[in-house]
Amino acid sequence: MTTSTRQPVFTRSVEGFGTVTLTPLDPAADSALIHGWVTEERARFWGMAEASRELVREIYEDVDRRTTHHAFLVRRDGRPVALFQTYDCAEDRISECYEVRPGDVGIHLLLGPAQGAPEHGFSAALVGVFTAYLFSDGGARRVVGEPDVRNGKVMAFLERSGFVLGPEIELPEIDLPEVYLPAKKARLAFLNAIPGTR
């Protein structure tokens, strides 16, 4: 197994939860772990259920080459717990679906498999770290989510986390040599920066 030498770009200690780090995903070192996560049934909305490990690596190599899209391996006290992705909405297919504002940063979040019984407040603690990163170091003015319209659980969670649900949209298909994304029906969700955080 390859070991990544990449260093965290953001670290936050959360009282009663632990230390959370965001480290740029290393496609070579992390592809086996991520492949295991994205091909589980619970990750069906991620859209990679049939992907091979090689394809997962290629997809994240493509993300790694971009300056507008980023993928992070999230660790809690050193243990990988989530995949977190961000993107510049103006440079993504979502820009065809709504009026993008300067500072709009899109997000995707995939939690790793739970270790033991579900932990109350786990997702909320992580989202608090992510928004702290985006509104401070990440340069966001507004965070934009676009969960699959069938994923009511995530939409309810986003609302509890302070996001405001927007309209339903259809993200257009992208079919390029380096990446394929099928069309997707999604629901927009917005979280504005708290005044004084930037």
Side-chain angles (χ1 to χ4, degrees):
M1 182 174 178
T2 309
T3 302
S4 177
T5 58
R6 297 187 177 188
Q7 297 301 308
V9 296
F10 190 76
T11 301
R12 175 64 59 96
S13 292
V14 181
E15 187 175 349
F17 185 77
T19 300
V20 179
T21 58
L22 276 60
T23 304
L25 189 76
D26 184 327
D30 301 326
S31 62
L33 174 70
I34 299 305
H35 176 259
W37 291 358
V38 300
T39 54
E40 290 187 348
E41 166 59 23
R42 64 180 186 81
R44 65 191 175 282
F45 294 120
W46 204 254
M48 297 171 73
E50 304 299 321
S52 66
R53 179 177 167 184
E54 180 179 298
L55 178 58
V56 169
R57 178 175 173 165
E58 289 173 0
I59 288 168
Y60 286 102
E61 284 174 344
D62 180 66
V63 172
D64 202 43
R65 285 190 290 268
R66 297 172 183 260
T67 59
T68 56
H69 292 60
H70 307 281
F72 303 95
L73 186 59
V74 182
R75 290 182 173 88
R76 175 194 188 187
D77 294 334
R79 185 175 66 82
V81 294
L83 172 63
F84 179 56
Q85 294 180 219
T86 66
Y87 60 91
D88 179 346
C89 293
E91 300 297 327
D92 189 82
R93 63 179 176 165
I94 198 172
S95 65
E96 299 179 32
C97 303
Y98 84 105
E99 190 172 335
V100 177
R101 296 181 190 171
D104 276 3
V105 175
I107 60 167
H108 299 294
L109 172 63
L110 177 64
L111 298 179
Q115 302 292 314
E119 183 179 347
H120 180 71
F122 181 88
S123 300
L126 290 183
V127 168
V129 172
F130 302 152
T131 54
Y133 165 67
L134 290 172
F135 289 140
S136 58
D137 297 355
R141 293 182 185 169
R142 184 169 67 162
V143 176
V144 182
E146 31 106 331
D148 189 293
V149 292
R150 298 166 295 173
N151 199 342
K153 185 176 178 181
V154 166
M155 283 186 274
F157 170 72
L158 289 174
E159 281 194 292
R160 289 194 308 272
S161 302
F163 283 76
V164 174
L165 295 182
E168 289 188 9
I169 59 171
E170 180 161 350
L171 294 164
E173 178 186 54
I174 293 178
D175 192 0
L176 300 172
E178 67 276 10
V179 64
Y180 173 75
L181 295 171
K184 170 185 161 183
K185 290 188 183 298
R187 179 90 182 262
L188 290 173
F190 302 100
L191 180 68
N192 290 306
I194 299 169
T197 57
R198 292 197 67 229

